[in-house]
């Protein structure tokens, strides 16, 4: 119990508004998410009540930092994407196009495809946002982020992505990317959010998943045929951005954008 409380106290410093280019990751036993999800625990009254306050403070900090951000699009993709990959070039083009259209680019702030999107936005003199997360292998915010905030809890961070984005563009990625993708599709399917375009960029990568959804999941009636229309698939970064822009223009969520 003493070790647990000390670990939580060590991790409960003030929310950072910026991060160094590199810093060492935290072991699972040093992460607040680890304690929140580990259970059941004996001293619920003491520890979980304090966790609620920490979670509340993280929401408040996120809302305060991102309030008034303006129209934005979240770009997701693997942290392992190489700078030599075509997907890196695609993500960079997406960030550039979003900035040229007057839109803000939001990523997880990490390396790979996230770095590429932030880089494209920053080079085009756009606002480039990174929403970081405390992980055992974290490397800090990439150097192309010009507005950043780090989170301890995944669910708080995911709320910020959905709340402050008008759409998602999703490049090839792993479990984290899939998590964000299906979270968004579930929220749109259940009408928790509306007018929210989701674009998958990379037909070779996403084609097998789309075929499985169509030929297995929909065939088993686990989803409806209409649910297959919740996203669009393309190999063209410009088309991906255009899809988002058309949806925002149609639904009146284009305040501040120039639509070049």
């Amino acid at each position: 119990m003493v070790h647990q409380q000390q670990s939580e106290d060590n991790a409960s410093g003030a929310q950072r508004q910026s991060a160094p280019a590199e810093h060492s990751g935290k072991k699972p036993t040093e992460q607040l998410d680890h304690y929140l999800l580990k259970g059941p625990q004996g001293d619920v009254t003491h520890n979980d009540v304090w966790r609620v306050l920490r979670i509340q403070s993280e929401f408040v900090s996120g809302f305060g930092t991102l309030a008034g951000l303006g129209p934005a699009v979240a770009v997701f993709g693997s942290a392992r994407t190489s700078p030599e990959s075509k997907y890196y070039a695609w993500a960079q083009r997406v960030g550039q196009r979003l900035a040229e259209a007057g839109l803000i680019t939001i990523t997880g702030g990490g390396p790979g495809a996230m770095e590429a999107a932030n880089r494209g936005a920053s080079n085009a003199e756009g606002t480039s946002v990174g929403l970081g997360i405390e992980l055992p292998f974290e490397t800090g915010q990439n150097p192309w982020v010009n507005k950043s905030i780090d989170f301890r809890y995944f669910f708080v961070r995911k709320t910020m992505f959905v709340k402050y984005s008008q759409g998602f563009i999703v490049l090839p990625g792993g479990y984290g990317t899939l998590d964000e993708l299906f979270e968004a599709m579930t929220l749109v399917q259940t009408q928790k959010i509306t007018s929210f375009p989701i674009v998958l960029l990379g037909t070779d990568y996403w084609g097998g998943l789309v075929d499985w959804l169509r030929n297995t999941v929909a065939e088993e009636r686990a989803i409806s045929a209409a649910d297959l229309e919740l996203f669009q698939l393309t190999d063209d970064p410009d088309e991906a951005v255009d899809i988002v822009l058309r949806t925002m223009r149609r639904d009146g969520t284009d305040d501040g954008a120039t639509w070049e």
Side-chain angles (χ1 to χ4, degrees):
M1 184 67 66
V2 172
H3 172 74
Q4 174 176 327
Q5 190 62 50
Q6 288 176 341
S7 296
E8 291 196 3
D9 290 342
N10 290 339
S12 64
Q15 193 77 14
R16 290 173 291 174
Q17 299 305 304
S18 62
E22 290 187 343
H23 56 87
S24 59
K26 293 187 177 181
K27 293 182 287 188
T29 52
E30 296 174 339
Q31 299 178 64
L32 295 190
D33 254 353
H34 171 82
Y35 289 110
L36 176 68
L37 300 176
K38 179 184 177 182
Q41 300 170 17
D43 193 1
V44 174
T45 301
H46 176 75
N47 289 319
D48 282 357
V49 168
W50 282 108
R51 286 194 193 103
V52 169
L53 295 177
R54 289 185 180 123
I55 291 166
Q56 179 183 7
S57 71
E58 190 152 298
F59 272 113
V60 171
S61 181
F63 292 153
T65 301
L66 300 174
L69 193 62
V73 175
V75 183
F76 295 100
S78 175
R80 303 177 184 183
T81 300
S82 166
E84 290 74 37
S85 168
K86 67 178 181 181
Y87 299 133
Y88 189 100
W90 288 3
Q92 190 169 344
R93 176 60 178 169
V94 166
Q96 176 188 344
R97 278 291 317 281
L98 291 173
E100 291 171 349
L103 296 173
I104 295 159
T105 296
I106 303 178
T107 77
M114 295 174 283
E115 173 189 287
N118 289 132
R119 183 176 185 175
S122 181
N123 284 342
E125 300 184 352
T127 301
S128 175
V129 177
L131 306 184
I133 184 69
E134 179 182 274
L135 292 172
F137 43 83
E138 65 178 333
T139 58
Q141 300 276 356
N142 69 67
W144 304 101
V145 167
N146 51 47
K147 187 179 184 66
S148 69
I149 182 168
D150 289 338
F151 296 93
R152 303 182 185 98
Y153 297 102
F154 262 115
F155 57 89
V156 178
R157 179 180 183 242
K158 288 163 71 175
T159 299
M160 301 302 157
F161 273 124
V162 175
K163 178 174 177 59
Y164 292 101
S165 300
Q166 277 71 54
F168 284 0
I169 296 177
V170 188
L171 287 102
Y175 286 151
T177 302
L178 291 168
D179 180 40
E180 299 290 356
L181 169 61
F182 280 99
E183 171 99 3
M185 290 201 294
T186 300
L187 292 172
V188 175
Q189 180 200 47
T190 56
Q191 299 183 26
K192 298 295 184 181
I193 54 175
T194 58
S195 304
F196 198 88
I198 302 169
V199 184
L200 304 181
L201 189 50
T203 56
D204 288 343
Y205 190 88
W206 296 113
L209 174 64
V210 174
D211 289 342
W212 175 72
L213 289 172
R214 179 182 297 111
N215 300 326
T216 300
V217 182
E219 283 294 319
E220 291 291 331
R221 298 184 180 180
I223 60 174
S224 69
D227 292 331
L228 295 170
E229 306 300 320
L230 298 180
F231 59 88
Q232 298 189 56
L233 181 64
T234 181
D235 276 329
D236 185 348
D238 291 306
E239 182 182 14
V241 174
D242 288 339
I243 289 169
V244 173
L245 296 181
R246 286 197 299 269
T247 303
M248 294 176 66
R249 185 186 300 114
R250 182 194 68 205
D251 297 320
T253 55
D254 56 350
D255 292 346
T258 59
W259 313 119
E260 295 180 357

